[in-house]
Amino acid sequence: MPTINQLPVLSTISSGDQLPVYSPNNGDARRTSIGSLLTFFQQTFASPTLSVNLFVPGNGFNITVPTPVSNDQWMLLQPASSLATGTITLPLNTSVPDGTSVLITTTQEITSLTIALNGASAIYGGVTSLASGSATTLRFYESTNSWYQVNSEAVFAGGIQNWVSNPSSANLLAAMTDETGTGLLVFNNTPTLVSPILSTPVLGTPTSGTLTSCTGLPVATGISGLGTGVATFLAGPSSANLDAAVTDNTGSGLLVFNTTPTLVTPNIGAATGISLVASGTIVSSGGTGIGYVAGAGGTVTQITSRTTGVTLNKTTGAITLFSAAGTTTAATFTVTNSTVLATDVIILNQKSGTDLYDLMVTAVAAGSFNITFRTTGGTTTETPVFSFAVIKGATT
């Protein structure tokens, strides 16, 4: 490197150091300080007015604003999602020209933002958070060695900026701090309310609604459209009040439920049931008598011999005997029948056959009974049919 041998080397330069400068206006050489020369260059050869610095920070970031090469430094933050914390470090105070501005913009919410001074004395009006799409501008004043906020977009409470950019019911609910209930935002024209607690509102005349767990509704004056006597029954649900309210009832007396009711001289009509217990005599006023209906009985045919047992688990039915010649000698076979109890009575008669038979029922037990039979003298080879019916009996 070439040297000026006539002058000693200056190892450290300060703004007060002087340089020789020829002044055409004065016609001679004069001296000026390095600081004055720097000011001349800054005023004469202006730097760009704006420098853009784009960042994609993560949570807990720490970004330093570059030493100004322009009047304005734009710090554009584009994080992938909302950030809980982050720090912006301002440029070193000794390297910042008077009036330098720093603009900070973020595309996502930064919940807790720290602005580090980096040598400055103070910051006035600095923000501590930035909502999505918001910004703040700080300007440096050299005389006080301080930064001042000169412009800031509104900093909304948590969630508000998100609702402004995406105004859904869920985002509004997330932004609110004193709401009641959940679900969709409600407007007054035909809303659908799910399980609301209405307290004491004036509802006007709603066209529809479902009331659940409501109390205090006066029956006599609060419900319209009731038939005669219905309001009286609702307020006092007695059998007499129900009888007065119903217009097509039959009979009189107390309301009947299906388990062990007491009926007083009922006219049952054509009834179907599993069993009927009567404490008195059962009589029939019709011409069809008392007995079993179709489907209650069954049939069975004896095989092998006339002493071979048969099984028929029905309360009534017909037994076809094995084909054999009639005889006056008595023979017996067993009928297995699960419907029979030892206290029951078996009615037995001859349904068909040429010979006439004497019939006897013996050994009635739980699940079976015996039939003993013989002809009155006939010897025809045939298959006579005996009919039976089980009548329920008792010994107590």
Side-chain angles (χ1 to χ4, degrees):
M1 177 178 178
T3 60
I4 303 177
N5 295 325
Q6 295 87 344
L7 300 175
V9 175
L10 182 62
S11 59
T12 302
I13 300 175
S14 65
S15 61
D17 293 339
Q18 296 183 349
L19 297 172
V21 177
Y22 176 77
S23 175
N25 293 333
N26 296 312
D28 57 6
R30 301 201 173 194
R31 51 191 172 86
T32 186
S33 67
I34 292 178
S36 298
L37 184 60
L38 177 60
T39 301
F40 169 78
F41 283 136
Q42 289 176 339
Q43 295 175 348
T44 305
F45 306 99
S47 61
T49 58
L50 176 65
S51 176
V52 180
N53 307 280
L54 175 63
F55 299 91
V56 184
N59 192 48
F61 67 86
N62 192 333
I63 298 173
T64 300
V65 180
T67 299
V69 294
S70 64
N71 291 337
D72 296 313
Q73 290 282 355
W74 183 14
M75 306 298 291
L76 177 55
L77 308 180
Q78 291 186 337
S81 61
S82 298
L83 303 179
T85 61
T87 300
I88 295 291
T89 300
L90 295 171
L92 185 63
N93 65 322
T94 57
S95 302
V96 179
D98 190 30
T100 297
S101 296
V102 175
L103 169 64
I104 303 172
T105 303
T106 180
T107 59
Q108 298 287 346
E109 181 182 7
I110 303 174
T111 304
S112 178
L113 177 65
T114 300
I115 299 179
L117 294 177
N118 199 7
S121 299
I123 182 172
Y124 296 95
V127 298
T128 58
S129 65
L130 282 177
S132 174
S134 65
T136 183
T137 302
L138 303 173
R139 182 166 296 162
F140 183 69
Y141 183 39
E142 187 177 25
S143 296
T144 60
N145 190 31
S146 299
W147 292 88
Y148 298 84
Q149 180 176 275
V150 295
N151 180 48
S152 177
E153 294 187 9
V155 179
F156 298 104
I160 290 295
Q161 183 65 34
N162 188 36
W163 178 79
V164 170
S165 60
N166 185 14
S168 68
S169 297
N171 287 341
L172 179 59
L173 178 62
M176 297 297 296
T177 59
D178 61 349
E179 76 281 357
T180 178
T182 59
L184 302 179
L185 181 64
V186 173
F187 293 93
N188 72 329
N189 190 356
T190 62
T192 298
L193 303 178
V194 180
S195 304
I197 299 176
L198 297 178
S199 187
T200 56
V202 179
L203 296 179
T205 306
T207 58
S208 64
T210 300
L211 301 178
T212 303
S213 301
C214 292
T215 60
L217 180 66
V219 174
T221 59
I223 305 176
S224 62
L226 298 178
T228 301
V230 173
T232 301
F233 168 74
L234 293 177
S238 67
S239 297
N241 287 342
L242 179 61
D243 187 21
V246 177
T247 59
D248 60 350
N249 54 305
T250 178
S252 61
L254 301 180
L255 180 63
V256 173
F257 293 92
N258 72 329
T259 301
T260 62
T262 298
L263 303 179
V264 181
T265 61
N267 184 354
I268 297 177
T272 301
I274 298 175
S275 65
L276 176 64
V277 177
S279 60
T281 303
I282 299 177
V283 297
S284 172
S285 61
T288 57
I290 299 175
Y292 297 99
V293 298
T299 61
V300 65
T301 300
Q302 193 180 44
I303 60 176
T304 306
S305 72
R306 287 192 172 183
T307 58
T308 301
V310 297
T311 299
L312 181 58
N313 296 316
K314 296 288 187 177
T315 53
T316 186
I319 303 170
T320 301
L321 269 61
F322 181 76
S323 178
T327 177
T328 57
T329 301
T332 301
F333 67 90
T334 300
V335 178
T336 299
N337 190 322
S338 61
T339 70
V340 175
L341 299 178
T343 55
D344 291 349
V345 176
I346 311 299
I347 298 175
L348 186 65
N349 68 316
Q350 181 180 348
K351 179 180 178 181
S352 65
T354 301
D355 295 340
L356 299 180
Y357 284 82
D358 288 329
L359 302 176
M360 292 174 286
V361 175
T362 60
V364 178
S368 68
F369 60 89
N370 289 347
I371 295 178
T372 300
F373 63 96
R374 65 186 176 188
T375 68
T376 59
T379 59
T380 306
T381 298
E382 59 182 345
T383 56
V385 177
F386 297 161
S387 296
F388 74 91
V390 179
I391 303 299
K392 290 296 165 182
T395 58
T396 59

